Each structure stands twice: as structure tokens, then as C-alpha cells.
Amino acid sequence: MRLKRRINDLLVAAINLERHVDPLFRRGFDRVLRAPIAAVVQWLINRRRRDDVRLGIAEERALPDEAEITRAIVDGMSAFTRRTYPHGGAERAGNTKTYGVVRGSFEVLPGLPDDLRQGVFAEPRTFPVWIRFAGPGPIAPPDIKDNGILSIGIKLMGVAGEKLLDERHTQDFTGISAPTFTTPDIRENVKLQHHILAGTPIFYFLGPRDSHLLDAVMQGLYSRTQSSPLETRYWSCVAYLLGEGRAMHYSIRPSSDRRTPVPLRPSDDYLREAMARTLAESDVEFDFMIQLQTDPHRMPIENASVEWPERLSPFVTAAKLRIPAQRFDSEHQLAFAGNLSYNPWHCIAEHRPLGNQNRARRSIYRELSRLRQEINRQPHIEPTGDERFEA
């Protein structure tokens, strides 16, 4: 085990070294090579699939041992949290480092096609939101060491209707800066959690007897030295209802193509600093886009390693996510960020999460959020949008 840890640490160190040179070539690589490589990897992933070919549109199929697997993931991530933060100051076990929680608005656009006018998208309206930008985790080192795949959490407030979990007036949307998830399903996810707890996560992807190399390549194609959380695109990776009998993926894309230079000697919190500089000077806007499931095999619900092809169903902009210029990095506002819980099950029935990853998230996110807040002696806060913080 010690040898595996040493090898893991050497490979992680090599990845960290690459982070420093990544900005020199990454834009050209993404423009020319990322799409064709992703197409080949997705073809290989699809060739290996067998168990979801007979599902229909918006149809799910639970794994036989789903409850036991979910429990194992919760137990493993809880053990990691307790071991990592024995004296308090616990961070989230995933999407760990908070770059900032910012105030904004979610404007549902008029004139949407009838099949998109469901749930919060039923009619033009603007919701207040708190938006959390964060790093991958499961720890929170200096940004340059853990900034490849970023995450976003969007909490709409003032949403009417019965909710499926905990909060009464919110609707959460979450995403990461890659179109596929780290693991295809929770059966593989629990293996990853075992490796994380053992300090050998690289061996989940490169293990000779149970390789997940294709998923590693997909993550690597989108893992890059980020310039700012405000300047990358995010994807849901997993499916959600869009009203009865419809399933969707969604994506949050910056309206501007601006790129902040990555510092030659980045500080430990350079991503938060980049956000702060941008929002001190200007507003920021994202397009919130919806992609409908049209082919239940090529666009599976139970396999999160498969990217839904845009040629089968293009993304349609359904809302504008607007972030006004503001200061967000005060001590009080950062503390507020720690009290918030983002969970895709904070939702109305029209947007119920679909698939085994999402079904497991109901318990995983809820229990780990409670554990974190218990360790930190922080209450769970359901925000209203009326919160104000001193500079």
C-alpha cells in the first residue's frame, strides 16, 4: 500500500507540474484536438455498454444493490471528512473549496418552445439566486494544485410548489466544468471512494485489473488550468425531469469569451481573486441551456460517462443567469457560504433528479452536509435572497 501511495503521489505531482505549463498550449489543443479525441473516447465507451439499451425516454432502472452502495459511499466520505477535519473547520467532501458565493438573478426567457415550458421555465419570470463557485476536492489545497474541474451550484429562491427535500422555497441546479461525470455510476463511484480513503485515487483510473482509463481521458480533456470560475462552461452531467415524461441535461455557458491571464506565480486563492477583480468592475452573464433527451440509448440516464450528442438534440437557451458587479469576499459572506447546502433534490417534482448517481445524491449530499455543519457547529440556512453582508 505504501508503494501505491508513493506512485499515486508522484503522478499527482506530475499533474501539478503540468498545471503550470497548461496555459501555454491549452486553447490551441482544445480548439483542434479536444472534439475528435472526445468522439473516439465516446465511441469506445458506447461499445462497452450493455445494460441500458431497453430503457425509454425519461425512464430509470435502479441497481439491485443501490441502497447498499449508497450507504457505502456515505460511510466512506463521512470517514474521510472526520479524519481530515478532526478539530473542526470541515469543508464539503466534494466540490470542496469555495471560491465565492455571489448574488444574482435567473431570468426565464419568453417565447420558449412548448416542450421546454415546464417547472420553473413555464413562464417568463426572474428569480433571485445565490450562486456558489467551487473546486473539485475532496481537499482544498492552493488553487493551482486542484483547479482542473470546477463546479457551480445555483439556488433559485421564491420557487412555489411542494419540494422533494428539506427546503421549502428553493430550486437547486448543480454542474461541473466537464460534460461527463468522473464515474459512470455509483457502483464504480464506491470504488473511487475506497481509493480516495486509501490515498490512491489515481489507481481507480489506472488500475490494471479494473481500469477506468476512458473516464480519465474524458475528464482530462476538460481538466485545465482555469483562469476564473466566471470564464468556464458547466454541465449537469446527469439527467433531470423537465415535466412528466421528458428528461433533460442542462449547461451553463458564459456569454462572454473573455479570458483572464493565469498568473505566472499564482497565489493560493488566485481563482477567488480573479472573480473579485472581474466583479469589482463589471457584470457577468451566463446562458442557462437545456438539452432534451431524444434517444434513450445514445442519451442514457443511468450512465453518466456518456455525453449526450448535440447533433441528436441541441442545447436551447432557456434562461439568463446574471451576476451584477459586487463584492462577495467579505468574512461574513464567506461564512454564509459555509452554511448553505446545495442538493439537486432541493427541487420541485417537475425537475426531479434522474439516474442512480442522482438517486444516491439525495442521501449523500444530505448526510454529508449535516455532518459538515455538525462538525462546524453551523446551522443549515435556507436563504431568502434578502441577505445582506458588510463589506
Side-chain angles (χ1 to χ4, degrees):
M1 182 59 72
R2 288 183 179 179
L3 178 61
K4 291 180 70 173
R5 287 179 181 172
R6 289 180 180 176
I7 295 172
N8 181 90
D9 292 346
L10 285 172
L11 292 173
V12 170
I15 293 171
N16 290 339
L17 182 62
E18 188 275 338
R19 289 275 180 260
H20 290 275
V21 299
D22 182 270
L24 299 176
F25 66 86
R26 191 56 189 240
R27 294 193 74 174
F29 175 90
D30 289 349
R31 184 172 57 253
V32 176
L33 296 176
R34 185 166 71 180
I37 294 174
V40 171
V41 174
Q42 284 293 299
W43 180 79
L44 292 170
I45 288 174
N46 277 302
R47 277 180 57 88
R48 297 170 59 178
R49 293 168 52 214
R50 295 289 184 270
D51 59 351
D52 57 356
V53 294
R54 297 182 181 178
L55 299 182
I57 294 291
E59 185 180 353
E60 302 175 87
R61 177 184 293 165
L63 299 172
D65 47 356
E66 195 163 296
E68 293 80 1
I69 295 172
T70 300
R71 185 71 256 163
I73 294 173
V74 171
D75 290 345
M77 296 181 78
S78 297
F80 179 89
T81 299
R82 291 190 179 94
R83 187 182 70 186
T84 307
Y85 308 102
H87 305 299
E91 299 283 357
R92 291 166 172 87
N95 306 321
T96 303
K97 186 173 184 178
T98 299
Y99 304 130
V101 167
V102 298
R103 184 190 311 277
S105 62
F106 187 91
E107 179 188 345
V108 179
L109 299 179
L112 295 179
D114 289 344
D115 54 1
L116 301 188
R117 293 171 59 189
Q118 306 290 327
V120 299
F121 307 100
E123 58 185 25
R125 182 183 167 183
T126 299
F127 298 90
V129 294
W130 282 111
I131 310 157
R132 177 178 183 260
F133 294 96
I139 56 176
D143 289 348
I144 196 65
K145 292 185 177 181
D146 196 27
N147 66 359
I149 301 293
L150 306 186
S151 64
I152 189 172
I154 306 168
K155 187 178 290 291
L156 281 64
M157 291 159 287
V159 178
E162 184 177 351
K163 305 304 184 297
L164 300 185
L165 184 69
D166 292 339
E167 301 186 351
R168 299 176 58 192
H169 306 290
T170 63
Q171 166 69 49
D172 290 0
F173 294 112
T174 63
I176 63 172
S177 59
T180 58
F181 196 55
T182 316
T183 60
D185 55 41
I186 60 171
R187 189 169 282 153
E188 303 308 307
N189 191 284
V190 76
K191 299 176 185 178
L192 175 60
Q193 300 309 320
H194 287 321
H195 278 286
I196 290 173
L197 195 59
T200 59
I202 295 294
F203 280 86
Y204 166 77
F205 297 103
L206 303 181
R209 296 182 180 178
D210 186 22
S211 172
H212 298 85
L213 181 60
L214 294 176
D215 290 325
V217 173
M218 280 302 297
Q219 293 296 295
L221 289 172
Y222 289 86
S223 178
R224 56 181 300 168
T225 301
Q226 303 286 348
S227 57
S228 168
L230 302 173
E231 298 171 359
T232 192
R233 181 176 175 181
Y234 302 89
W235 288 264
S236 65
C237 299
V238 287
Y240 298 84
L241 280 181
L242 185 63
E244 188 64 31
R246 297 182 183 87
M248 68 170 176
H249 276 192
Y250 53 79
S251 182
I252 303 102
R253 182 181 65 190
S255 299
S256 168
D257 60 358
R258 91 173 101 195
R259 286 292 181 271
T260 301
V262 177
L264 290 176
R265 295 181 178 178
S267 73
D268 289 355
D269 300 306
Y270 85 90
L271 289 172
R272 180 181 298 163
E273 292 162 4
M275 283 180 62
R277 285 194 299 271
T278 296
L279 291 176
E281 301 172 353
S282 62
D283 302 344
V284 172
E285 183 179 283
F286 289 82
D287 295 328
F288 188 99
M289 305 181 296
I290 290 175
Q291 182 186 31
L292 284 177
Q293 185 193 35
T294 57
D295 183 323
H297 177 61
R298 293 300 309 279
M299 307 169 80
I301 284 175
E302 298 294 348
N303 189 327
S305 67
V306 178
E307 182 176 2
W308 286 12
E310 289 197 52
R311 69 178 182 276
L312 297 181
S313 179
F315 281 97
V316 176
T317 300
K320 292 287 186 178
L321 185 63
R322 306 186 196 278
I323 305 173
Q326 61 189 276
R327 181 179 175 189
F328 65 89
D329 55 353
S330 69
E331 180 180 347
H332 294 94
Q333 191 157 335
L334 290 174
F336 167 74
N339 292 344
L340 294 178
S341 295
Y342 286 86
N343 189 323
W345 287 87
H346 293 156
C347 68
I348 54 178
E350 291 91 334
H351 301 314
R352 177 172 60 82
L354 302 174
N356 63 86
Q357 301 266 21
N358 263 332
R359 291 190 296 272
R361 280 174 167 178
R362 181 184 179 104
S363 297
I364 295 169
Y365 281 28
R366 188 184 196 185
E367 293 195 34
L368 291 172
S369 177
R370 288 177 173 177
L371 174 61
R372 171 175 55 86
Q373 291 167 350
E374 175 187 323
I375 291 173
N376 297 338
R377 298 181 181 178
Q378 295 172 324
H380 170 208
I381 291 177
E382 178 178 348
T384 64
D386 297 327
E387 295 82 6
R388 295 294 182 269
F389 302 97
E390 298 177 2

